[in-house]
Amino acid sequence: MADLAGSRHALPYVLNLSLVFTELPLLDRAEAARAAGFTAVEYWWPFETPVPDTAEVDAFVASVERAGVAVTGLNFFPGDMAGGDRGLVTWPGREDDFTRGVAAAIDLGDRLGCRRFNALYGNRIDGADPAGQDKLGLANLALASDAAARIDAEIVLEPLSGAEKYPLKTADHVLKVLDELGRDNVKLLADLYHLAVNGDDLDTVATVHTGRIGHVQIADAPGRHQPGTGTLDIEGYLEKLQAAGYRGQVGVEYKPDGPSADSLSWLPFERRGLA
């Protein structure tokens, strides 16, 4: 077992390759992560369409298999992220894109052995009734829950910062949706950066809501860079999460301040391959 001296917790890390190693082409990032010591990685949706063509999918799968890493998390197709979209779950008129995107993601996850999928809730749409959007969200999340259950997978729902029209800002906002949905395989994604920026109570998230958390992600605040560049006590919150019973992974999902490889110096090499 790796020496955990100097660390305040033993939770395993998984590297998010949609934010780290973006200096490299997408299909080269898994090998870079493996060379950096990681045995598990996660991605947002790694394609530009809800249903990529077979050649794109095959090339992506080959890049992962060549690297010898596990993919433990994928996002569903979120729309145009660069243009400000933040998911299709509650977007009226995009139901077909959402349904087809879920099917494509579940198929890819089944092929890769990935059993966690992030469903970004979606922005409020000008002219659309918020209550109607939320009702659509429950229907779409139920559809995604059923699809995930077929491969014994789970869905996570995430509060976000920096997106004014995205209505889920805090853990309580997500938990309200989960309560209305009532599905055991749909859980909270606790991104400590987003929650901190939005002013949520991270102590409560780490110690009270632990049993409802499906995944944790980290970046320092302010700035969303690597741990040590801001003021967030990331190690302390991870220690509290573990003490409260969290046994999942920690997604390393930050924007590197400098070259990606150099930005990982906060995490000892022997701590990177435990996932």
Side-chain angles (χ1 to χ4, degrees):
M1 181 176 178
D3 181 7
L4 299 180
S7 179
R8 295 162 62 181
H9 66 90
L11 297 174
Y13 291 95
V14 52
L15 190 65
N16 188 292
L17 293 180
S18 292
L19 279 186
V20 184
F21 284 118
T22 56
E23 309 97 321
L24 302 174
L26 177 71
L27 300 186
D28 292 340
R29 295 177 197 170
E31 286 186 294
R34 189 67 187 92
F38 290 91
T39 57
V41 299
E42 62 185 17
Y43 297 84
W44 299 347
W45 186 236
F47 309 103
E48 295 184 357
T49 59
V51 183
D53 63 43
T54 301
E56 284 184 284
V57 174
D58 288 347
F60 178 74
V61 171
S63 75
V64 171
E65 292 176 342
R66 185 168 62 246
V69 295
V71 175
T72 59
L74 290 168
N75 283 22
F76 292 137
F77 174 72
D80 178 10
M81 288 280 284
D85 296 346
R86 291 297 183 270
L88 306 185
V89 171
T90 60
W91 193 333
R94 300 294 297 272
E95 292 90 345
D96 184 58
D97 282 342
F98 180 76
T99 300
R100 294 188 304 120
V102 166
I106 296 297
D107 285 348
L108 177 58
D110 195 26
R111 187 170 172 183
L112 290 169
C114 175
R115 295 297 182 264
R116 183 172 59 247
F117 300 90
N118 184 8
L120 293 181
Y121 194 66
N123 294 329
R124 292 306 192 204
I125 304 298
D126 291 342
D129 173 39
Q133 285 195 257
D134 291 336
K135 183 177 179 180
L136 174 61
L138 292 176
N140 277 336
L141 287 171
L143 179 151
S145 169
D146 289 342
R150 289 196 287 271
I151 63 168
D152 195 27
E154 69 180 19
I155 309 298
V156 289
L157 192 60
E158 179 179 18
L160 293 181
S161 63
E164 181 181 352
K165 294 183 178 181
Y166 189 89
L168 306 184
K169 308 290 190 187
T170 67
D172 282 344
H173 291 160
V174 169
L175 294 178
K176 182 177 184 293
V177 176
L178 301 188
D179 287 342
E180 294 179 15
L181 182 65
R183 297 295 186 100
D184 289 341
N185 70 333
V186 186
K187 299 180 179 179
L188 166 68
L189 195 171
D191 185 310
L192 301 187
Y193 167 78
H194 288 307
L195 295 172
V197 169
N198 288 340
D200 209 351
D201 183 345
L202 294 190
D203 285 314
T204 297
V205 173
T207 60
V208 176
H209 300 319
T210 318
R212 307 190 70 181
I213 294 175
H215 189 43
V216 172
Q217 291 176 329
I218 60 169
D220 214 336
R224 204 181 184 183
H225 302 308
Q226 60 266 30
T229 57
T231 61
L232 201 58
D233 182 16
I234 294 173
E235 278 274 302
Y237 290 120
L238 295 178
E239 180 183 32
K240 290 177 182 178
L241 279 159
Q242 180 176 278
Y246 181 71
R247 295 294 182 268
Q249 297 169 323
V250 177
V252 177
E253 193 200 41
Y254 60 70
K255 299 176 181 178
D257 183 11
S260 290
D262 293 347
S263 80
L264 292 165
S265 62
W266 62 275
L267 184 61
F269 193 89
E270 61 272 14
R271 290 285 283 119
R272 302 177 189 179
L274 301 181

